[in-house]
């Protein structure tokens, strides 16, 4: 099993910044594709950003391109989501996700952390 623990969520004003962290409890962290998802009220869970095992490739949802940055530190078993220029539309519960590269049956979810953007 892989346990994922998110931190860094909270309340921020429009235009502000927030940095989410996700710590993974696994010796094989460098073999997991890591990603962030979010679910806003009344909407389905959507992919926000993903990063490859070696951090050589990233992708983002169109709604966050240019504002969010995903990164990882394999030595610390941690993935980050730097969120800048936050808008009320970014309000959601954010989830960390891990998928073992090349193995479809191994994937894990964090418990989620609330991000609220409001003045």
């Amino acid at each position: 099993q892989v346990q994922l623990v998110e931190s860094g969520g909270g309340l921020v004003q429009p235009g502000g910044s927030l940095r989410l962290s996700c710590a993974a409890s696994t010796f094989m962290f460098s073999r997991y594709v890591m990603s962030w998802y979010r679910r806003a009220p009344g909407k389905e869970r959507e992919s926000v950003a993903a990063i490859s095992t070696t951090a050589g490739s990233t992708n983002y949802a169109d709604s966050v391109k240019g504002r969010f940055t995903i990164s990882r530190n394999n030595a610390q078993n941690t993935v980050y989501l730097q969120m800048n220029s936050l808008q009320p539309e970014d309000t959601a519960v954010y989830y960390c996700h891990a998928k073992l590269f090349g193995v479809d049956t191994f994937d894990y979810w964090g418990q989620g952390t609330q991000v609220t953007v409001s003045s």
Side-chain angles (χ1 to χ4, degrees):
Q1 63 176 6
V2 176
Q3 296 186 42
L4 305 174
V5 180
E6 300 100 331
S7 62
L11 175 65
V12 65
Q13 294 184 335
S17 298
L18 211 58
R19 191 189 197 194
L20 305 182
S21 299
C22 174
S25 60
T26 175
F27 296 134
M28 304 284 288
F29 181 75
S30 63
R31 296 190 180 183
Y32 284 85
V33 177
M34 302 298 298
S35 60
W36 289 93
Y37 287 72
R38 68 184 182 186
R39 185 170 186 174
K43 299 180 64 178
E44 297 182 355
R45 192 179 319 203
E46 65 173 343
S47 177
V48 176
I51 187 167
S52 62
T53 56
T54 61
S57 179
T58 59
N59 59 63
Y60 300 90
D62 289 339
S63 59
V64 306
K65 285 182 179 178
R67 300 188 298 118
F68 290 10
T69 302
I70 187 172
S71 61
R72 68 189 295 161
N73 188 325
N74 286 346
Q76 297 180 350
N77 283 17
T78 305
V79 63
Y80 305 94
L81 185 67
Q82 178 67 46
M83 304 183 293
N84 298 327
S85 301
L86 284 163
Q87 303 171 1
E89 300 79 58
D90 297 315
T91 296
V93 178
Y94 284 71
Y95 299 89
C96 182
H97 178 260
K99 179 181 179 182
L100 186 63
F101 180 78
V103 184
D104 292 336
T105 56
F106 287 87
D107 69 304
Y108 306 89
W109 292 91
Q111 79 288 343
T113 183
Q114 177 70 48
V115 172
T116 302
V117 184
S118 176
S119 59

